[in-house]
Amino acid sequence: MNILLVSSEIAPLAKTGGLADVCGTFPKALRQRGMEIALAMPKYKGVGIQGTKLGEIDIQIGNATVVGHIEKTTLPDTEIPLFLICNASYYEREQLYTVNGKDYPDNLARYTFLCKAVLRMIKRDWVQPQLIHANDWQTALLPVFIKTLYRRFDSIKHIKTLLTIHNLAYQGVFPQEQLPITNIGWEHFHMEELEFYNQINLMKGGIVFADAISTVSRTYAKEIQTKEFGCGLEGILQRNAARLKGILNGVEYTEWSPEHDTKITTPYDRFTYKEGKAQNKKTILQEFGMHHSSTRKPLLGVVSRLVEQKGLDLLAKILHALIEKGAQVIVLGTGDPEIEVQLSALHQQHPRDFGLIIDFNDRLAHLIEAGSDIFLMPSRFEPCGLNQMYSLRYGTIPVVRATGGLADTITDLSIEPDEGNGFSFLAADPDAFLDACLRAMRHYENEAEWDTLIPRVMQQDYSWDKPTEAYIQCYQDLLNETN
């Protein structure tokens, strides 16, 4: 079975979020199970590795011919083949998708080039996949092209496609006047294919043309078929529900496990967690310039994009109450300038008990997981979420909104005291969030209960083992289908 996974970002080479983490770790799990897996992505300015040049490519973008080349290398620290799609004018920029907070105006051309370049590699026999695994809107044109512009090519027309939706909120929507950039005919611009309120919608096109669709948790697969979470595509997803699967993402425990984490102060396991977490708590409080209490005081941690989707505005509304009840809170992340200003003002009011670092810092992210007692994820929606799964391995109890992958991974201890692993709330409002936080803090106050809980949740397995089995079955089912 030969699989080509195509993504606009793959960690550790280029990353803006969880998409990169998944596409950088999942292929390793496939490789361990004997799958022939290769990767393709753009060569952005910060990629930092040089591959072997396979040859130049000339790609039609509208009426223009755009020249680039393909480099072949391997994903760092693996033997997994990696194809880098190279074009300096498209990809050697400071940010992946945006400038000054706004999308690059030529994003449709940039990712049309990516998709056509991948298909050109196949035509030139540089890679021979039986199935292409596309990810999010940036690669959603691959299934569209295979069944339209490239359907006459014998080397391409039989390739199966799987499109994974990592976050439906980002769809690749462009003015209809830009359709000629893709060279797709106007006969495909209608409400059953690419048209979306008189605009082009790449995600919609991918959903329609892909042989199968997956998303990153079972609950999110159901949610995106509703008006609340469907972002306008709930109808097309309902009509294609038979081809839609929800497969939870996994965690790469070689990187996210306190036993051998080199980014934390004191490694620990489920037998030594008390001393280990105490030392890491002391370190992280120092990093944030906060008071270290000699009494037992819960530390609530957040590592997140500071945006409304992640519920950081809800945290701002309950922060005073949490501190009054004896908590300390630390937040790491960047995002919406308004939320950054709001949190900065709260930091000025409570410098001893509320720490804020507006930055993307991987080392601090690991330290927060290790040093916090409770981890907060009040997301309005969360397709999968990874931090709640990291937190469990680090013995840091999650408080989450019961949505998407958070609902699939966190069972409320108030409901299932023997099987629960965190605390959850339903309504996306401050009162419900505060109630869940206070329940977690009361549990923390009972040291005997806490000491029973932590070793148990640290043993829970959210590795890539089960998700990989599910994807392999999905691949096999697709390849067993007749065209």
Side-chain angles (χ1 to χ4, degrees):
M1 190 186 305
N2 294 304
I3 310 299
L4 178 62
L5 184 146
V6 187
S7 176
S8 61
E9 53 186 84
I10 299 175
L13 301 174
K15 175 180 173 178
T16 64
L19 169 65
D21 290 324
V22 170
C23 294
T25 57
F26 168 55
K28 299 176 188 177
L30 284 173
R31 181 85 170 193
Q32 289 172 357
R33 283 160 180 75
M35 297 293 104
E36 291 294 325
I37 175 72
L39 312 177
M41 66 171 287
K43 187 175 184 181
Y44 299 108
K45 183 177 181 180
V47 163
I49 58 174
Q50 188 72 31
T52 301
K53 185 175 178 179
L54 297 180
E56 288 195 349
I57 52 171
D58 55 323
I59 302 296
Q60 187 178 3
I61 304 293
N63 293 323
T65 298
V66 179
V67 177
H69 69 274
I70 307 295
E71 293 178 7
K72 185 178 181 181
T73 181
T74 56
L75 185 69
D77 301 321
T78 76
E79 296 181 353
I80 298 172
L82 171 65
F83 296 90
L84 297 172
I85 313 302
C86 305
N87 179 288
S89 65
Y90 279 160
Y91 304 126
E92 291 188 13
R93 304 179 183 182
E94 291 301 320
Q95 304 293 328
L96 269 58
Y97 313 118
T98 62
V99 58
N100 297 324
K102 295 184 178 180
D103 291 344
Y104 290 122
D106 62 345
N107 271 349
L108 181 57
R110 297 172 74 223
Y111 293 103
T112 294
F113 185 91
L114 169 64
C115 294
K116 288 188 175 183
V118 167
L119 297 176
R120 182 66 59 86
M121 291 194 315
I122 297 170
K123 284 179 64 181
R124 291 199 178 180
D125 209 25
W126 293 339
V127 62
Q128 298 174 308
Q130 296 168 282
L131 184 146
I132 292 177
H133 188 160
N135 293 272
D136 274 350
W137 70 263
Q138 297 92 338
T139 59
L141 280 174
L142 282 163
V144 181
F145 284 150
I146 287 172
K147 292 185 177 177
T148 57
L149 297 180
Y150 291 78
R151 65 182 183 274
R152 67 184 185 279
F153 296 105
D154 290 338
S155 60
I156 291 175
K157 65 183 182 182
H158 297 299
I159 295 173
K160 296 294 185 177
T161 56
L162 169 66
L163 173 66
T164 296
I165 301 169
H166 295 262
N167 190 336
L168 192 63
Y170 302 97
Q171 298 180 5
V173 177
F174 300 92
Q176 64 170 292
E177 298 80 33
Q178 293 189 21
L179 184 65
I181 289 171
T182 68
N183 302 106
I184 295 170
W186 286 102
E187 67 273 16
H188 298 290
F189 186 74
H190 56 82
M191 67 179 296
E192 296 302 325
E193 293 187 3
L194 289 167
E195 187 269 338
F196 181 76
Y197 296 99
N198 294 317
Q199 295 178 295
I200 310 160
N201 188 314
L202 301 191
M203 184 75 88
K204 180 179 179 181
I207 290 168
V208 171
F209 283 94
D211 296 303
I213 313 148
S214 72
T215 191
V216 290
S217 68
R218 296 182 303 276
T219 295
Y220 193 58
K222 297 174 183 176
E223 287 177 341
I224 59 177
Q225 297 179 57
T226 68
K227 188 172 183 179
E228 181 181 0
F229 296 97
C231 304
L233 295 182
E234 59 274 6
I236 205 78
L237 286 161
Q238 289 167 13
R239 291 195 289 277
N240 290 278
R243 297 186 294 111
L244 173 63
K245 299 177 184 294
I247 302 175
L248 190 72
N249 286 334
V251 173
E252 186 176 38
Y253 286 129
T254 55
E255 180 179 356
W256 288 96
S257 191
E259 295 93 330
H260 42 71
D261 191 336
T262 60
K263 296 171 184 174
I264 65 178
T265 301
T266 304
Y268 60 92
D269 59 23
R270 63 190 177 94
F271 302 106
T272 60
Y273 81 90
K274 290 190 78 168
E275 177 63 22
K277 288 189 72 67
Q279 291 298 321
N280 287 296
K281 178 189 277 192
K282 186 175 181 179
T283 299
I284 197 64
L285 288 171
Q286 289 173 347
E287 293 272 0
F288 277 78
M290 292 168 65
H291 168 68
H292 183 265
S293 175
S294 59
T295 60
R296 184 173 168 84
K297 196 178 181 85
L299 178 61
L300 283 55
V302 176
V303 179
S304 177
R305 286 185 292 116
L306 307 182
V307 295
E308 188 173 301
Q309 180 222 318
K310 298 294 186 179
L312 270 296
D313 57 315
L314 300 180
L315 176 62
K317 291 174 182 176
I318 70 168
L319 190 67
H320 292 295
L322 291 175
I323 292 172
E324 286 177 359
K325 293 292 185 179
Q328 291 182 293
V329 183
I330 51 177
V331 174
L332 171 69
T334 63
D336 186 331
E338 290 185 12
I339 293 178
E340 290 181 0
V341 168
Q342 192 176 14
L343 292 175
S344 296
L346 289 167
H347 171 60
Q348 295 296 320
Q349 295 175 41
H350 303 282
R352 288 168 60 87
D353 292 313
F354 177 46
L356 174 67
I357 295 180
I358 297 176
D359 190 17
F360 179 88
N361 187 308
D362 189 53
R363 181 183 67 86
L364 289 181
H366 282 248
L367 267 171
I368 290 172
E369 289 287 8
S372 299
D373 301 297
I374 296 166
F375 196 89
L376 306 181
M377 297 182 71
S379 305
R380 283 182 167 79
F381 68 93
E382 192 66 63
C384 176
L386 293 173
N387 276 100
Q388 81 279 15
M389 295 187 275
Y390 301 156
S391 296
L392 294 172
R393 181 51 64 102
Y394 282 75
T396 303
I397 300 304
V399 173
V400 307
R401 179 160 183 255
T403 183
L406 302 177
D408 290 345
T409 52
I410 302 304
T411 301
D412 197 303
L413 280 152
S414 301
I415 301 170
E416 297 285 349
D418 295 327
E419 301 295 330
N421 57 3
F423 296 87
S424 62
F425 62 100
L426 288 172
D429 66 57
D431 290 340
F433 181 28
L434 178 60
D435 175 72
C437 291
L438 295 179
R439 283 187 283 123
M441 290 166 60
R442 285 194 294 271
H443 205 97
Y444 175 82
E445 289 169 3
N446 187 325
E447 194 166 354
E449 285 187 357
W450 201 256
D451 287 344
T452 300
L453 172 64
I454 301 305
R456 177 169 64 79
V457 303
M458 288 181 71
Q459 296 180 76
Q460 295 186 337
D461 182 11
Y462 285 101
S463 69
W464 273 109
D465 290 347
K466 290 181 180 179
T468 301
E469 291 174 7
Y471 273 112
I472 291 173
Q473 186 62 56
C474 182
Y475 296 159
Q476 288 175 338
D477 291 344
L478 283 173
L479 294 177
N480 289 336
E481 291 179 356
T482 56
N483 285 301

